[in-house]
Amino acid sequence: MKAAAFAYARATSVVNALELLAAHGDKAKVLSGGQSLMPAMNLRLLSPDILVDIGGLAELRGIAVMAGVLVVGALTRHVELLRSTDVALHAPLLRDAVAHVAHPAIRNRGTIGGSLAHADPASELPACVIALDAMIVVRGPTGERRIAATEFFKGIYETALSPDELLIAIEVPVAGQGSTFFFQEYARRHGDYAVVGLAARAIVAGGRFSDLRLGFFAVGDRPLLAAAAGKLINASVTPALLAEAATALAAELDPQEDQQASPAMRRHLATVLLRRCVAALLARPDLAAGMTG
């Protein structure tokens, strides 16, 4: 299939992009890398009247650490996340996740802002930003506002962005003492859409979790920050407690059946990922001695 007819405008600045969005409202879509948007348009899942191309706006690129926060510009490409020493040091979960995003040609063009704004529930980066407790910075006609990542995703291809707003940056708290991370996904082939995936951030001390954030993806209409993680915080993680957390997680999930997997299979795989994640995080020799019996 081919996309429906659309107009095209290339923004010359963030201010110009906001003017174009204000003029066209919800009939416009923002084009950054285009690696998710264009396939969706070709399948007629999205049919905007006009594309506002922000791909040339250098002011929305770059990675920097400021006052304990890793700031990533919305137009930072996936490949730049892979290569960044700041990302590797302060938010390695992003680097680990991006390695699973599609294929090199896609990673060379796709952007973090485009991935988040597209809000595909099977995407890796939305789950990462909720696990990292990130803030999404958006700009509109009245100025900037910051939206907690956990409040940003509203459904399949739906976010808290207003039609006249532009996602401009992501702010991630830098990793602190005892921080550790886990990322894994099940896919039929590397680069395919995930069947189920998990992005996690934990703080471990004395063989226990003092904090644990589990961001599951491809398990519902948006990334899920699992409440079941709370059962494992400030507790000795025994097999019985882990089984209780797995049961609670399965009850939280609302996966849909598709050609890849049934809801029951997705629930099962999610609990397998939970167990693998906990074992891996507690097995770090520099942080903990591991699970207790």
Side-chain angles (χ1 to χ4, degrees):
M1 295 180 66
K2 293 184 178 180
F6 60 89
Y8 172 87
R10 187 171 180 84
T12 57
S13 66
V14 170
V15 171
N16 179 230
L18 292 175
E19 291 171 346
L20 290 166
L21 293 177
H24 296 281
D26 58 8
K27 296 180 180 180
K29 288 293 285 186
V30 174
L31 175 65
S32 51
Q35 302 306 297
S36 297
L37 176 61
M38 298 312 298
M41 289 176 60
N42 287 338
L43 292 171
R44 303 293 178 97
L45 298 174
L46 298 170
S47 297
D49 287 354
I50 183 171
L51 291 185
V52 177
D53 187 351
I54 63 170
L57 303 185
E59 59 193 295
L60 298 184
R61 300 189 188 284
I63 301 168
V65 179
M66 296 182 286
V69 174
L70 179 73
V71 182
V72 182
L75 290 185
T76 301
R77 300 190 189 280
H78 298 326
V79 68
E80 294 168 327
L81 295 174
L82 275 172
R83 296 171 178 170
S84 168
T85 55
D86 283 333
V87 170
L89 180 63
H90 299 296
L93 185 62
L94 294 176
R95 175 203 59 197
D96 296 344
V98 166
H100 292 263
V101 173
H103 304 286
I106 303 297
R107 296 193 289 268
N108 287 339
R109 293 290 302 169
T111 65
I112 185 172
S115 178
L116 301 183
H118 189 59
D120 187 326
S123 292
E124 293 85 356
L125 291 177
C128 288
V129 295
I130 68 169
L132 291 170
D133 199 19
M135 300 294 289
I136 311 299
V137 185
V138 306
R139 187 179 299 171
T142 60
E144 289 186 6
R145 64 184 181 117
R146 284 164 170 76
I147 308 169
T150 50
E151 301 297 323
F152 185 74
F153 305 100
K154 299 300 184 182
I156 299 175
Y157 305 142
E158 295 183 21
T159 72
L161 274 171
S162 298
D164 58 357
E165 289 182 317
L166 189 65
L167 195 162
I168 63 169
I170 300 90
E171 297 178 342
V172 181
V174 300
Q177 181 70 28
S179 294
T180 186
F181 305 89
F182 175 91
F183 184 90
Q184 193 172 82
E185 67 178 41
Y186 289 110
R188 295 190 179 278
R189 296 174 302 180
H190 183 81
D192 282 1
Y193 277 105
V195 176
V196 175
L198 170 59
R201 187 214 72 185
I203 299 177
V204 180
R208 298 190 178 200
F209 294 113
S210 61
D211 191 25
L212 178 62
R213 295 176 67 89
L214 304 174
F216 284 90
F217 56 102
V219 294
D221 68 351
R222 69 198 76 181
L224 170 74
L225 185 66
K231 293 183 176 294
L232 304 174
I233 295 174
N234 295 322
S236 179
V237 180
T238 63
L241 182 61
L242 188 53
E244 182 181 334
T247 299
L249 172 65
E252 282 188 75
L253 305 182
D254 186 25
Q256 302 299 308
E257 184 159 7
D258 60 22
Q259 294 180 342
Q260 293 211 93
S262 68
M265 177 57 73
R266 281 195 162 92
R267 287 191 175 92
H268 170 70
L269 291 176
T271 61
V272 171
L273 283 178
L274 170 65
R275 293 175 183 275
R276 288 187 175 181
C277 172
V278 169
L281 294 177
L282 291 181
R284 285 277 303 276
D286 55 328
L287 297 175
M291 289 179 60
T292 63

